[in-house]
Amino acid sequence: MGETKKCVVWDLDNTVWDGVLLEGDELTVRPGVREALRTLDGRGILHSVVSRNEPEPALARLAELGLADYFLAPRIGWGTKSQAIRDIAAELGIATDSFVFVDDDPYERAEVAHVLPEVLCVDAADVPTLVERAELSPAHITAEARDRRRMYQASARRKQAEEEFEGPQESFLASLGMRLRIIPAREQDLRRAEELTVRTHQLNATGRTYSYAELDALRTSSTHQLLVAELTDRFGPYGVIGLALVETGKEAWTVRLLLMSCRVLSRGIGAIMVNHLRRRARAAGCPLYADFVRTDRNRMMYIAYRLGGFTEVGQDGDVLSLRADDDSIPPLPDYVELLTDED
């Protein structure tokens, strides 16, 4: 089946609706569009817009049709659609190879396919069967998936609040009232944990994926700890945004997997999770090691480890071994409350 795509980007004229807005046509939603938007949204697939139109009337028409709330980070204007997709990817924090582009115009599809060959381009005529595509059919649908759009909308409100905030970054973070909960994974967390390993590429320290059955076995293993991290703030829940798998040997602990959602990259959550693992290992009287496997996207995780006091101590094939130093562990930042299984 391949990797599930994360975002469908729609043209408007003769794609979302029949007719051309600027020509004054009577616009009606094309067959299959509402069903596709609703069904894919329920699967955790995001939607956006790239259209050659004037922004205000186009957005107003989407609102009149009851569709505007589905579309995140719309790009409506006169630039190339490939650049617009790049801009959407940057705003949402999603790699362009996770995108599907739907347009009725063969030229526009060809332009995007030429500049961004990793984007799946689909003819608008195929919209009635869009929900049947394997790339848009995740094996499992978690609670986080069903609420993903609303979480991104909350993230947009956070971003706006941050841009309007006058003062240092830590003061803004303190204003969010963040609560981070790091606890052993429960059975009900496993679908989301599996989803995170499949969907998370940029902030995955090893790039490894794990199935539900593998995670369930590790959750109950006497030689491993599988931890999930949940984050909330005054704008609402982020959901489960982090996962750590630690092999707990008698002589040493090793972080076999550490990943987190790109939505929390600017919140300092990576460093907090790393330091939490260091504290747990120290309490057990063991040094802490970590696996790191370089991919074309995960350099930020290497930086998170290095900033967290880890240094390189060896390599086995493509697996780099890092070890946490014995220096004092930084205290928890004042701007976040940490809850653990020990609380």
Side-chain angles (χ1 to χ4, degrees):
M1 183 177 291
E3 291 187 358
T4 303
K5 300 295 185 179
K6 299 180 182 179
C7 183
V8 180
V9 177
W10 299 76
D11 175 42
L12 292 178
D13 292 332
N14 293 316
T15 298
V16 165
W17 53 55
D18 277 319
V20 178
L21 178 63
L22 291 179
E23 294 179 2
D25 294 342
E26 183 178 349
L27 307 177
T28 56
V29 180
R30 298 194 67 208
V33 170
R34 288 188 189 275
E35 294 79 2
L37 291 170
R38 181 172 58 250
T39 299
L40 296 179
D41 180 69
R43 295 175 184 174
I45 310 297
L46 305 177
H47 298 283
S48 189
V49 165
V50 169
S51 174
R52 295 186 186 281
N53 263 302
E54 293 294 339
E56 289 187 9
L59 291 172
R61 187 57 181 152
L62 283 172
E64 291 169 7
L65 294 170
L67 301 178
D69 199 45
Y70 282 110
F71 297 110
L72 306 174
R75 292 298 189 273
I76 301 173
W78 306 104
T80 64
K81 295 194 174 182
S82 59
Q83 184 57 50
I85 291 173
R86 283 194 179 115
D87 293 342
I88 294 168
E91 181 168 340
L92 298 181
I94 300 174
T96 52
D97 64 359
S98 297
F99 278 72
V100 177
F101 173 56
V102 182
D103 199 302
D104 68 299
D105 190 333
Y107 171 83
E108 300 290 4
R109 298 197 303 273
E111 188 271 331
V112 169
H114 176 73
V115 179
L116 300 173
E118 67 274 19
V119 173
L120 174 63
C121 296
V122 175
D123 190 335
D126 296 328
V127 165
T129 60
L130 192 64
V131 300
E132 300 171 13
R133 297 193 68 107
E135 302 92 340
L136 295 171
S137 302
H140 306 286
I141 301 171
T142 64
E144 280 82 3
R146 287 189 290 271
D147 208 36
R148 182 165 290 125
R149 168 171 54 90
R150 284 169 285 277
M151 290 182 179
Y152 270 85
Q153 289 168 333
S155 179
R157 293 193 294 272
R158 290 184 189 99
K159 182 179 179 181
Q160 182 178 356
E162 184 171 9
E163 291 173 349
E164 295 173 352
F165 187 86
E166 296 182 0
Q169 174 72 2
E170 285 212 355
S171 295
F172 171 73
L173 294 176
S175 76
L176 292 176
M178 288 191 292
R179 302 182 72 199
L180 177 65
R181 188 168 180 239
I182 304 177
I183 59 172
R186 302 153 298 184
E187 185 175 3
Q188 62 263 36
D189 296 319
L190 296 182
R191 290 298 182 203
R192 172 57 176 164
E194 178 187 39
E195 181 184 49
L196 275 172
T197 73
V198 172
R199 289 176 59 93
T200 306
H201 307 294
Q202 298 178 62
L203 300 179
N204 185 329
T206 61
R208 294 172 182 155
T209 62
Y210 291 82
S211 68
Y212 180 98
E214 289 171 327
L215 291 168
D216 196 27
L218 291 165
R219 179 181 68 88
T220 57
S221 167
S222 62
T223 58
H224 293 81
Q225 292 184 11
L226 183 65
L227 305 175
V228 293
E230 304 170 339
L231 184 65
T232 62
D233 67 14
R234 64 183 173 92
F235 289 97
Y238 293 74
V240 176
I241 48 77
L243 183 67
L245 173 63
V246 184
E247 185 175 339
T248 54
K250 293 181 179 179
E251 303 299 325
W253 285 20
T254 304
V255 184
R256 297 300 185 189
L257 174 71
L258 179 65
L259 61 81
M260 67 199 67
S261 168
C262 58
R263 292 179 289 127
V264 299
L265 178 62
S266 63
R267 302 293 182 250
I269 302 302
I272 295 171
M273 287 185 67
V274 167
N275 289 333
H276 178 68
L277 297 177
R278 291 178 67 190
R279 290 189 194 94
R280 292 178 76 99
R282 184 174 64 182
C286 292
L288 183 63
Y289 293 82
D291 291 346
F292 180 79
V293 179
R294 288 188 176 89
T295 70
D296 59 349
R297 301 187 193 177
N298 70 350
R299 178 170 171 76
M300 287 302 299
M301 293 303 289
Y302 179 79
I303 293 172
Y305 270 132
R306 293 304 302 268
L307 292 176
F310 284 76
T311 56
E312 297 181 19
V313 294
Q315 187 163 352
D316 182 9
D318 62 349
V319 181
L320 190 65
S321 180
L322 309 174
R323 175 173 172 159
D325 61 36
D326 297 325
D327 293 341
S328 60
I329 302 171
L332 184 71
D334 293 337
Y335 59 75
V336 63
E337 178 184 1
L338 177 61
L339 304 174
T340 71
D341 55 321
E342 299 162 357
D343 297 325

